[in-house]
Amino acid sequence: MDTPLLLSGPVRVIRDAARAVKRTAGLMIERVTAGTLSTLLGLPGMVVTEYAFEKQGERDMLHIFCQHEHAVAICPRCGQASTTVHESEERCIRHLDIWGKATLVHFPARRFECGQCQKPFTEELSWIESKRRESSAYEVHVYEQCQHTDQAAVAEREGLHAETVKTIFQRWAKRAEKQHHRTRVRSLGVDEISLRKGHQQFALVLSDLERHCVIAVLPERSQEAFQAWLEGLTEAERKAIRVVAMDMWGPYRGVVKAKLPQAEIVADRFHVMKQLNDAIAKIRRSLQAQADKASYELLKGIRWILVRNRAGLKPEEEAKLQAALDAFPDLRTAYLLKEGFCTLANKIQDRQQAERFLRAWVYEAQASGLSQLVKFTQTLHNWWQEFLNYFNEGITSGVVEGLNNAIRGTIRRAFGYHVFENFRLHVMAEHGNLPAPSPQI
């Protein structure tokens, strides 16, 4: 592995134009020529001859008229140069905005006659792809905007049809995926996310916990889908996976043991805590159902207070919590056990020490006689080794939870997705650490 260069200090980005004056001495300054404007506009091979301004409603338009710099083109079939123009027609292409004005580039599109093949061919231009109405630079601009806002807003801002924006995004997102060099994953995160609230539609999100990015989105959260994805990896890619962090769902564990026998399974700490918090919530609801009016009021509004870190409670929340704990001994017992479990998970970093404390904690939870906690200890027993694996390296699916929150923002921004492929492309473009796509000429 190459040794990284050592820098004397962090590189400072100069954002103040006034300070840039001091940096001109280090610039490679070139003289203005006839082709300078074409270079600055990103139109290689063209010569700008005229321009015009136009007002369309509230939108300002800039028309740029160009001619070809050279009277020759290369045949894509045989590579022979040709100067015989077969036919020519005027084309208009949307380009990057200039001075805040929507910019249109006008130029003659030429077809040449190849002397070698004896067949006509369309001239290829490096700044626009075949049969496109937008320049490659402008399409990349639209694609990048779609990664941060919804497509309808992009269409409105750019003055494009919504279907045009959708087509551009899908083309370039698929291209970015195709050009992406798949990196071997050491720590794999497995989690699911709801696509539509209340519709029982879930997708399976697979993440690289070390690079903090999504590596795959599967259309269903099934054992079969996960297994098929693992089988699609090369043997070297499967062997590279050393740790798999997941929620406590048995079928996923079975797949990992069968397909990744060398991998260490970690029962994600956040999901374990969620199950414990669910048990606390059930105890609270059970007490609330049996309470009189005065006692009911003490339990009202403490749902989230019970599951939050006690050190982070406000004084009024602490007072409300203490009043409920004083009134309900069972709730007090469950809450103190929950706090003890949190301390165990947060403070202990040695696996053997964690196991000793965890056994003592389980004994106290079972001795409490609270059925909800007893049931939680049974689940914990089923995932005993996997949860203890957390204390080996402290690996969790916290990265996955963060990515899932970001993905939920993507879903809300688009007001939901009816086509899974559109959803998958957006997730990969925004959270898949894909490279900037390059044009295909």
Side-chain angles (χ1 to χ4, degrees):
M1 185 175 70
D2 295 336
T3 303
L5 295 177
L6 298 179
L7 302 178
S8 57
V11 178
R12 294 182 61 192
V13 178
I14 305 299
R15 296 184 175 87
D16 187 349
R19 297 183 183 181
V21 174
K22 301 178 182 178
R23 302 170 62 230
T24 56
L27 298 178
M28 184 179 293
I29 300 177
E30 300 183 12
R31 289 190 174 277
V32 175
T33 64
T36 297
L37 186 57
S38 299
T39 301
L40 295 177
L41 295 180
L43 303 173
M46 311 301 294
V47 177
V48 179
T49 57
E50 299 171 310
Y51 73 92
F53 292 109
E54 180 187 12
K55 190 81 171 179
Q56 287 190 1
E58 297 181 355
R59 194 172 188 85
D60 293 325
M61 310 288 290
L62 171 62
H63 296 265
I64 296 178
F65 298 88
C66 302
Q67 292 295 330
H68 293 274
E69 184 178 6
H70 305 289
V72 62
I74 304 299
C75 177
R77 291 185 294 269
C78 65
Q80 183 74 25
S82 173
T83 58
T84 305
V85 177
H86 178 72
E87 60 180 342
S88 176
E89 64 177 5
E90 289 297 319
R91 286 193 68 187
C92 180
I93 297 299
R94 179 73 182 271
H95 195 40
L96 292 170
D97 290 1
I98 299 176
W99 305 312
K101 296 175 173 57
T103 302
L104 300 172
V105 179
H106 301 259
F107 66 97
R110 303 182 298 188
R111 283 177 60 80
F112 284 77
E113 187 76 36
C114 178
Q116 182 74 21
C117 303
Q118 298 297 315
K119 294 180 180 180
F121 65 89
T122 301
E123 179 181 19
E124 294 181 346
L125 302 174
S126 62
W127 53 278
I128 181 173
E129 297 184 9
S130 176
K131 300 179 181 179
R132 302 304 305 165
R133 297 181 180 179
E134 297 81 23
S135 67
S136 297
Y138 182 71
E139 287 195 342
V140 171
H141 167 71
V142 171
Y143 165 74
E144 290 175 345
Q145 284 193 82
C146 290
Q147 296 181 48
H148 307 290
T149 186
D150 62 278
Q151 294 180 3
V154 174
E156 177 68 22
R157 185 185 305 132
E158 296 295 326
L160 299 173
H161 193 279
E163 194 64 28
T164 300
V165 173
K166 177 182 175 182
T167 301
I168 291 174
F169 174 80
Q170 290 180 347
R171 286 179 62 247
W172 287 88
K174 291 177 181 178
R175 183 171 300 176
E177 271 197 307
K178 188 175 181 180
Q179 295 173 352
H180 178 53
H181 176 69
R182 198 162 66 185
T183 305
R184 293 180 184 177
V185 178
R186 178 184 177 276
S187 300
L188 177 67
V190 183
D191 203 0
E192 55 205 29
I193 189 170
S194 173
L195 298 181
R196 297 181 66 188
K197 189 175 181 180
H199 288 75
Q200 294 297 309
Q201 293 184 1
F202 293 88
L204 185 59
V205 179
L206 305 174
S207 307
D208 187 331
L209 300 181
E210 293 182 334
R211 293 191 298 135
H212 294 200
C213 65
V214 176
I215 56 177
V217 184
L218 308 185
E220 55 185 33
R221 56 169 180 175
S222 66
Q223 176 183 3
E224 293 76 18
F226 184 35
Q227 180 172 319
W229 182 82
L230 288 176
E231 290 174 347
L233 302 178
T234 65
E235 183 178 357
E237 287 174 329
R238 284 195 295 271
K239 288 183 176 180
I241 300 175
R242 310 305 302 176
V243 179
V244 180
M246 63 175 67
D247 60 11
M248 293 185 288
W249 195 53
Y252 290 162
R253 179 171 59 179
V255 171
V256 173
K257 287 185 175 181
K259 299 299 178 181
L260 306 173
Q262 80 288 349
E264 181 178 270
I265 301 174
V266 177
D268 180 51
R269 170 194 149 187
F270 292 97
H271 286 91
V272 175
M273 281 303 307
K274 181 180 182 301
Q275 294 219 11
L276 178 55
N277 287 333
D278 289 343
I280 301 295
K282 290 176 182 178
I283 293 172
R284 177 189 60 82
R285 288 196 296 267
S286 175
L287 293 172
Q288 206 168 19
Q290 303 170 17
D292 55 28
K293 185 174 182 181
S295 299
Y296 182 89
E297 290 298 321
L298 290 175
L299 294 171
K300 187 177 179 180
I302 67 167
R303 174 186 176 186
W304 301 115
I305 296 177
L306 285 170
V307 301
R308 285 174 55 193
N309 185 355
R310 191 165 190 174
L313 296 180
K314 299 177 182 178
E316 58 272 21
E317 293 174 332
E318 174 65 31
K320 195 168 186 177
L321 172 65
Q322 192 60 52
L325 297 183
D326 291 341
F328 297 93
D330 284 351
L331 185 63
R332 179 184 183 85
T333 299
Y335 182 78
L336 292 178
L337 282 168
K338 189 269 293 186
E339 287 292 291
F341 192 90
C342 289
T343 302
L344 187 154
N346 290 333
K347 301 297 184 180
I348 299 179
Q349 298 180 351
D350 178 75
R351 180 191 176 103
Q352 292 182 348
Q353 185 183 18
E355 186 168 13
R356 291 196 302 271
F357 276 87
L358 195 58
R359 289 188 184 279
W361 186 93
V362 169
Y363 176 81
E364 290 185 41
Q366 292 177 341
S368 70
L370 297 171
S371 61
Q372 297 86 347
L373 289 182
V374 172
K375 185 177 180 181
F376 170 75
T377 61
Q378 293 170 350
T379 301
L380 192 60
H381 176 75
N382 294 334
W383 289 82
W384 189 260
Q385 294 301 326
E386 288 80 6
F387 180 59
L388 287 176
N389 287 340
Y390 158 73
F391 296 94
N392 290 340
E393 298 185 54
I395 290 179
T396 73
S397 291
V399 171
V400 178
E401 294 301 316
L403 288 170
N404 280 357
N405 286 335
I407 292 171
R408 290 186 189 98
T410 301
I411 295 173
R412 288 193 298 270
R413 196 176 64 211
F415 299 98
Y417 289 89
H418 298 287
V419 180
F420 173 78
E421 180 63 12
N422 294 341
F423 165 73
R424 190 192 67 82
L425 285 174
H426 267 279
V427 172
M428 295 305 300
E430 294 184 37
H431 311 293
N433 198 24
L434 300 181
S438 56
Q440 295 178 342
I441 303 299

